[in-house]
Amino acid sequence: MSKKTQSHGGPIQIVPLHPGASSAADGTEIFDPSKAIAAPASAQLTYQGGQLLSGVKVFTIFWGPSFSNGNLNGLPGQLNAFFDTILKGALMDQLAEYNTGAYKVGKGTRIGSTIIQAASATTVTDADIQAALQSWLGSNPDFPKADANTLYFIYLASGVTVTMQGEGSCTAFCGYHANIGNSIFYAVMPYPDCAGCLGGKAVIDALTGTSSHELCEAITDAVPGSGWYDEGNNMEIGDICAWQFKTVDGYNVQLEWSNQRNACI
Ligand SMILES: [Zn+2]
């Protein structure tokens, strides 16, 4: 089936930068929160027949020594607590309208976490991430084996730029989810080093917001474009509602598109 695609040729699978972010002539970052993205008037997700993650099993990976003995050493605990809470709560329940005959979308669990002590390069491509993940899966006993519901969430350190299909973190995207074949599912979360990925929020709130976006997209569209996807607007469940937030169980999470309610909820 032919699909409309992004300029780089793939289905949309990213969190875009906040549209209110720009640069002044001297390079200073400007952020205008009034320019939030409004949902398209006629959004509608349709099921394309592919895999969904039912009962998602999240494993978090923090890549770099700053997550254990540096300035980011508080983040693993905070983000693991976020997943422990959110995977058992209302954010998962609201996705039930996207159940199919084969897949029941529901509550999930965080099945573990690890910190990779070796620093990544300062620029990491998606191919690098896929190679690293496959290497870890093959040789690191801390890693659970991939299965149909496992989702690896990979957090990068501050100062690391991620590139994917010719686009970069903090220039085109704030995070994305992807797949290696039909058997390994992962999300990549660069550190929000720019106004466009902070969206006027504290670091932890920006990270839980973008993480919730990718979590819900990975669940409902595990192989981008093959699950629940809006072909008319060329978007996944979170893209339609990007940069619109609510608080669930004490955490900043993004609104997600509801076909039933015809709204971001
Ligand atoms: Zn998205």
Side-chain angles (χ1 to χ4, degrees), residues 13-15 213-214 217 236 239:
Q13 61 200 94
I14 61 165
V15 180
H213 175 131
E214 296 306 338
E217 291 188 339
E236 297 180 311
D239 304 321

Side-chain angles (χ1 to χ4, degrees), residues 14-16 36-40 43 45 82 86 90-92 94-95 97-98 201 205-206 208-217 220 235-248 251-259 261-265:
I14 61 165
V15 180
I37 296 172
L45 297 169
F82 158 74
I86 223 72
L91 186 67
M92 297 297 96
Q94 81 180 57
L95 300 179
E97 68 174 277
Y98 298 110
K201 300 210 169 282
D205 295 331
T208 61
T210 50
S211 296
S212 68
H213 175 131
E214 296 306 338
L215 173 66
C216 292
E217 291 188 339
T220 57
M235 289 179 167
E236 297 180 311
I237 188 171
D239 304 321
I240 301 167
C241 310
W243 295 104
Q244 300 177 55
F245 297 109
K246 63 181 176 180
T247 300
V248 172
Y251 289 100
N252 181 57
V253 299
Q254 205 202 272
L255 304 190
E256 306 295 335
W257 180 256
S258 168
N259 277 352
R261 304 259 297 269
N262 195 37
C264 293
I265 64 170

Side-chain angles (χ1 to χ4, degrees), residues 1-236:
M1 185 184 312
S2 73
K3 296 182 191 305
K4 285 200 284 185
T5 58
Q6 279 183 292
S7 56
H8 61 58
I12 288 182
Q13 61 200 94
I14 61 165
V15 180
L17 266 64
H18 192 289
S22 59
S23 294
D26 66 357
T28 306
E29 287 185 328
I30 299 168
F31 178 67
D32 177 0
S34 69
K35 294 183 179 171
I37 296 172
S42 61
Q44 180 74 20
L45 297 169
T46 54
Y47 182 51
Q48 311 292 321
Q51 288 170 263
L52 309 181
L53 305 186
S54 54
V56 65
K57 295 153 65 178
V58 170
F59 184 78
T60 57
I61 300 157
F62 298 91
W63 191 353
S66 59
F67 288 112
S68 61
N69 52 25
N71 59 324
L72 305 183
N73 65 0
L75 277 181
Q78 288 178 294
L79 287 164
N80 286 338
F82 158 74
F83 282 111
D84 288 344
T85 301
I86 223 72
L87 289 168
K88 298 190 182 317
L91 186 67
M92 297 297 96
D93 295 340
Q94 81 180 57
L95 300 179
E97 68 174 277
Y98 298 110
N99 286 343
T100 68
Y103 300 101
K104 294 277 177 284
V105 176
K107 288 180 167 59
T109 52
R110 184 178 64 84
I111 57 172
S113 179
T114 194
I115 297 172
I116 302 297
Q117 295 298 339
S120 72
T122 53
T123 298
V124 179
T125 67
D126 184 53
D128 294 335
I129 288 171
Q130 290 197 5
L133 180 55
Q134 288 178 299
S135 170
W136 295 326
L137 286 171
S139 62
N140 187 325
D142 293 343
F143 277 67
K145 296 296 177 209
D147 70 12
N149 292 317
T150 299
L151 176 62
Y152 302 95
F153 252 89
I154 303 167
Y155 290 85
L156 284 301
S158 179
V160 175
T161 299
V162 178
T163 63
M164 191 265 294
Q165 299 182 8
E167 297 179 330
S169 58
C170 272
T171 53
F173 63 80
C174 304
Y176 64 90
H177 75 99
N179 58 292
I180 302 172
N182 291 323
S183 58
I184 300 176
F185 305 106
Y186 66 99
V188 177
M189 303 301 305
Y191 189 85
D193 279 317
C194 55
C197 292
L198 285 168
K201 300 210 169 282
V203 166
I204 183 63
D205 295 331
L207 281 172
T208 61
T210 50
S211 296
S212 68
H213 175 131
E214 296 306 338
L215 173 66
C216 292
E217 291 188 339
I219 290 171
T220 57
D221 192 30
V223 177
S226 75
W228 287 95
Y229 196 72
D230 181 332
E231 291 195 286
N233 294 301
N234 192 22
M235 289 179 167
E236 297 180 311

